[in-house]
Amino acid sequence: MTKIKICGLSRKTDIEYVNKLKPDYIGFVFAESRRKVTVDQAEDLRKGLDKGIKTVGVFVDEPLGSLIYISERLRLDVIQLHGNEDFPYIKQLSAYEIWKSIGISGFEDLKRMEDQPVETILVDSKVPGALGGTGQSFDWSLLDGTSHRKKIILAGGLNPQNVSEAIKQVKPFAVDVSSGVESGGIKDFYKIEEFIRKVRNI
């Protein structure tokens, strides 16, 4: 069954929502974003999180020492990297499960995906000047035949209306959503509920 990550949680209400709806993963964003949280905020939110839900920290070119400090303090289950983190950087994180994000806009990006020194790749839309979190989708057919070489997490423009088709086409390990389950820029319980139901009904 396809796993589900709800990303960009920033309020205690968000934690209440996911505790009721039980996605597999939730994400705390530590990069520049309107959903960015401090380590203190994330620690407070994590205390109320259902222990069956895994935590993912989202980083963009974070200094290695800072990233390790945050990850240890929050006992993160997964580190999600969206920047230019190279092999020596990633090698220092061997104690953690690592997801590396790759922006996809054409076949030339698939080679970059295969070259990453991690098992799991989060594929997102490539938008100039942005490192994910744009809410825009890409041509999923570009991924035909790739998911058997890497575990694929599909992100970018997913919402309750298109996630079923996305899963049928890409067959990813997991789907990752943030803005697609928001109303007015905040998490919407009913959209999260519908998203999760659509995924689990496949």
Side-chain angles (χ1 to χ4, degrees):
M1 181 181 290
T2 305
K3 305 291 186 183
I4 301 164
K5 173 172 167 260
I6 308 296
C7 199
L9 275 60
S10 61
R11 308 174 305 148
K12 289 192 175 180
T13 304
D14 299 340
I15 298 295
E16 293 170 7
Y17 290 171
V18 296
N19 284 346
K20 290 178 182 177
L21 298 172
K22 300 292 193 294
D24 303 283
Y25 301 90
I26 61 93
F28 294 128
V29 177
F30 297 101
E32 287 308 316
S33 162
R34 62 182 175 83
R35 304 178 186 92
K36 182 178 181 178
V37 291
T38 66
V39 65
D40 289 336
Q41 288 173 315
E43 186 174 50
D44 191 41
L45 293 170
R46 197 194 196 293
K47 287 176 183 175
L49 182 68
D50 185 295
K51 289 181 171 52
I53 301 172
K54 293 185 177 181
T55 53
V56 181
V58 179
F59 301 91
V60 177
D61 295 324
E62 185 78 18
L64 185 61
S66 172
L67 184 146
I68 291 173
Y69 168 75
I70 293 170
S71 302
E72 289 180 348
R73 181 170 163 184
L74 298 179
R75 304 184 313 282
L76 294 176
D77 296 294
V78 180
I79 294 171
Q80 181 176 317
L81 302 174
H82 276 257
N84 297 304
E85 300 89 359
D86 58 13
F87 178 74
Y89 183 104
I90 293 172
K91 192 175 181 181
Q92 298 298 311
L93 302 173
S94 59
Y96 293 92
E97 180 177 351
I98 305 297
W99 297 350
K100 186 72 174 75
S101 174
I102 297 292
I104 302 287
S105 63
F107 286 108
E108 67 278 3
D109 297 311
L110 301 181
K111 177 67 163 59
R112 291 177 55 237
M113 186 174 81
E114 292 299 324
D115 288 344
Q116 296 301 314
V118 296
E119 178 185 0
T120 305
I121 300 292
L122 185 142
V123 289
D124 204 343
S125 52
K126 181 189 280 187
V127 177
L131 293 168
T134 65
Q136 297 182 33
S137 60
F138 62 94
D139 181 0
W140 300 322
S141 69
L142 292 169
L143 296 171
D144 288 350
T146 61
S147 58
H148 66 283
R149 292 191 291 274
K150 295 280 189 180
K151 285 169 68 175
I152 298 294
I153 299 170
L154 185 61
L158 295 177
N159 57 56
Q161 287 68 50
N162 67 12
V163 68
S164 297
E165 179 59 33
I167 290 172
K168 289 173 185 174
Q169 185 165 341
V170 178
K171 299 178 177 60
F173 161 71
V175 287
D176 186 344
V177 66
S178 187
S179 61
V181 290
E182 292 178 350
S183 295
I186 61 173
K187 294 294 183 281
D188 183 314
F189 177 88
Y190 297 103
K191 288 185 177 181
I192 299 173
E193 181 181 47
E194 184 181 4
F195 186 91
I196 291 175
R197 177 170 52 80
K198 291 283 183 67
V199 175
R200 294 197 168 143
N201 280 347
I202 295 176

